[in-house]
Amino acid sequence: MEAIIIIVFVLGYLAITLEHNLKIDKLIPALVMMAVCWAIIAIGVDDFTQWFDSAKHALVDNLGLLNHEDRVHLMEETLLHHLGKTSEILVFLLGAMTIVEIIDYFDGFATIKGFIKTKSKGRILWIFAFLAFFLSAIIDNLTATIVLISILQKLIFDRDVRIWYAGLIIIAANAGGAWSPIGDVTTTMLWIGKKVTTGHLFVYLFVPSLLCMLIPVFIASFLPAFKGKIDNPDSEDDAPKSEHSATMLYLGLGGIVSVPIFKTVTHLPPYVGMMLALAFVAIFAEVFSNRKFAMSFDTDANADHVGHHSPVHKALSKIELPSILFFLGILMAVAALESLGILFGFASTLQKNMPMLGTELHHEGVSDLVVLLMGVGSAVIDNVPLVAASLGMFSEPIDNELWHFIAYAAGTGGSMLIIGSAAGVVAMGMEKIDFFWYLKNIGWLALVGFLVGAIAFMFTRTIF
């Protein structure tokens, strides 16, 4: 049964990568892959020899002693657990996307044009790279990618040029999320699991993460795509179309930035804070909209702006729901592999078969190469279950360098493939980036940055 599920996953993954060749939207194979994998688990629930309890990050003891009813109950509880964790991400994503669309409704991102005076492609690349790196550490790499690509769409009209910037934003956002406990799901898992602390995470990973961003951006700045100046057609409408543009921009971004603070104070999941931020932004959007359009838009041509078309409804109608469904499918399909202990077994096999390759960490015999391969694996599968497996596999104490290396590898390794990270998945949906275009043009830059940062980490840990 495990072999069949792996085959289904591989075929589904292949269909996703060949989306443009097959002319089938990537959400379809993702949803099929999810449904079929869990259906096979349900049909053969009595035949499985191991089960991974994600809540405890460990294999279930005495699985063979469970009867059919207990196994079904265990499967249902696991499915509900994964759906809950996936839904947390999706609801968070929906809230962030809605806030971004509300800002756009008031033409808030046009305000950014006033701050970016240069038209040099190279300078704009460095500006967005640093914005992505530091913003992702504050509001997480997923939300930072959404915000920055939304701004990018207002600055660069040529999509063929814009997707190059989007690719480097993915690298920078994932690198920035690795050194912050709230910057990436995996670092948050390690932080909540009492494996790393904020101070040590910064000390160990800031320089490696910074190099992981700087090196690819430095190399990319010499590529033809970033030479010359942006050639946007002149427009008389460059000024914000609403008097509340700047206010809504600051309210929206302020609401997103407040989410980590809300989480720290209340210890509630981030999506709760995002919903509160959305409600707060929506209140001002409705007030400004009613005041503005009731006074200014009273002709039939502008009737759709009045009353019954609120900015919140308009924003919700523009959200990329296909990306949300794709995210649901891919995460739940990976959850099926995780639940059967396949990912756990993969990581354990690496540990047992390659203990002497690379530099060992302390006395446990955990090879650097194993951690690096986990980073590469996070690009192919997903970094969340791999980190979850490592939490159950390794027993090193809090702030051991192993946990920081795992945080770096899992957080930045996903940049090598467009569907290897949440930031990449969102960018893929927002800009319709082709899997193989990204692999050919951006993937090698991400790999170079990943390896340089890893070497920097190995040097840094010898100091601390």
Side-chain angles (χ1 to χ4, degrees):
M1 285 290 187
E2 287 92 343
I4 297 175
I5 291 176
I6 293 174
I7 291 172
V8 169
F9 183 86
V10 170
L11 291 176
Y13 197 90
L14 186 62
I16 291 170
T17 62
L18 297 174
E19 172 190 15
H20 292 278
N21 303 83
L22 298 175
K23 309 298 181 185
I24 297 176
D25 194 288
K26 62 183 178 296
L27 77 90
I28 297 174
L31 294 177
V32 170
M33 181 169 59
M34 172 198 75
V36 172
C37 284
W38 280 102
I40 294 173
I41 291 175
I43 292 171
V45 69
D46 293 326
D47 300 326
F48 297 115
T49 57
Q50 63 179 9
W51 193 266
F52 188 76
D53 188 344
S54 299
K56 298 179 180 178
H57 305 303
L59 294 174
V60 175
D61 295 327
N62 302 319
L63 180 67
L65 301 179
L66 299 181
N67 57 35
H68 177 74
E69 288 74 17
D70 291 336
R71 282 173 173 260
V72 170
H73 178 71
L74 178 62
M75 180 197 68
E76 291 174 346
E77 288 293 320
T78 303
L79 181 59
L80 187 61
H81 169 82
H82 285 297
L83 179 61
K85 291 299 180 183
T86 301
S87 297
E88 285 186 13
I89 298 173
L90 299 185
V91 172
F92 179 91
L93 184 58
L94 280 170
M97 284 182 164
T98 306
I99 290 177
V100 167
E101 291 296 343
I102 290 175
I103 295 172
D104 189 51
Y105 179 87
F106 287 91
D107 204 23
F109 292 118
T111 306
I112 302 294
K113 294 181 180 180
F115 300 118
I116 302 179
K117 303 293 186 181
T118 181
K119 286 195 173 183
S120 167
K121 291 181 179 179
R123 290 179 182 176
I124 291 176
L125 170 63
W126 283 103
I127 290 171
F128 274 86
F130 276 103
L131 281 174
F133 183 78
F134 288 104
L135 196 59
S136 63
I138 301 171
I139 63 175
D140 83 67
N141 50 10
L142 180 65
T143 312
T145 302
I146 296 172
V147 171
L148 291 176
I149 290 182
S150 298
I151 296 173
L152 200 63
Q153 290 171 342
K154 301 298 178 183
L155 288 173
I156 302 173
F157 300 153
D158 187 347
R159 178 188 166 276
D160 291 337
V161 174
R162 199 168 60 236
I163 57 177
W164 280 92
Y165 286 92
L168 272 298
I169 285 174
I170 293 170
I171 294 175
N174 286 335
W179 59 272
S180 167
I182 56 174
D184 185 84
V185 176
T186 52
T187 50
T188 302
M189 286 171 59
L190 292 167
W191 180 47
I192 294 174
K194 293 181 172 45
K195 301 299 182 183
V196 297
T197 59
T198 303
H200 283 77
L201 196 65
F202 175 82
V203 169
Y204 274 111
L205 295 190
F206 180 77
V207 172
S209 298
L210 183 62
L211 289 173
C212 182
M213 179 273 289
L214 288 177
I215 299 302
V217 174
F218 176 75
I219 296 173
S221 65
F222 293 98
L223 298 178
F226 297 104
K227 293 295 184 181
K229 297 184 180 295
I230 295 174
D231 186 23
N232 284 342
D234 294 330
S235 173
E236 298 179 359
D237 299 327
D238 281 345
K241 298 180 177 63
S242 169
E243 61 181 316
H244 303 295
S245 296
T247 302
M248 290 308 301
L249 174 68
Y250 300 141
L251 281 173
L253 294 183
I256 293 173
V257 170
S258 70
V259 173
I261 301 173
F262 180 87
K263 179 185 182 300
T264 302
V265 173
T266 65
H267 302 289
L268 290 170
Y271 76 91
V272 180
M274 185 60 74
M275 290 298 102
L276 179 61
L278 172 59
F280 182 78
V281 173
I283 290 173
F284 283 90
E286 294 288 338
V287 171
F288 291 157
S289 178
N290 291 337
R291 182 190 306 166
K292 168 73 177 177
F293 296 123
M295 295 172 59
S296 304
F297 295 93
D298 52 3
T299 66
D300 291 339
N302 294 303
D304 62 322
H305 290 284
V306 183
H308 61 282
H309 274 210
S310 74
V312 178
H313 291 178
K314 194 80 171 180
L316 286 168
S317 69
K318 294 176 68 177
I319 286 177
E320 273 286 332
L321 282 179
S323 297
I324 299 293
L325 290 175
F326 168 73
F327 215 20
L328 170 67
I330 196 74
L331 286 179
M332 291 300 292
V334 171
L337 297 183
E338 179 186 346
S339 298
L340 293 176
I342 294 173
L343 299 180
F344 184 91
F346 171 72
S348 298
T349 301
L350 288 178
Q351 183 190 13
K352 292 176 181 177
N353 294 340
M354 295 188 295
M356 298 306 294
L357 294 177
T359 305
E360 293 184 356
L361 299 167
H362 285 321
H363 58 280
E364 298 291 339
V366 182
S367 170
D368 285 345
L369 183 58
V370 171
V371 182
L372 290 173
L373 287 175
M374 287 179 66
V376 176
S378 71
V380 179
I381 309 174
D382 183 71
N383 54 9
V384 174
L386 288 178
V387 172
S390 71
L391 288 170
M393 278 171 42
F394 307 129
S395 57
E396 278 73 9
I398 188 171
D399 278 331
N400 182 279
E401 63 257 30
L402 170 65
W403 299 119
H404 295 95
F405 200 12
I406 288 174
Y408 169 80
T412 62
S415 301
M416 289 180 242
L417 295 179
I418 186 69
I419 58 177
S421 66
V425 171
V426 169
M428 187 182 191
M430 294 179 72
E431 289 291 354
K432 303 295 185 288
I433 301 174
D434 180 70
F435 178 91
F436 290 103
W437 179 91
Y438 184 93
L439 179 63
K440 176 183 176 182
N441 296 290
I442 306 296
W444 70 275
L445 290 170
L447 175 61
V448 171
F450 173 76
L451 293 176
V452 170
I455 294 171
F457 172 84
M458 294 175 193
F459 177 76
T460 303
R461 75 178 178 206
T462 62
I463 300 175
F464 298 105

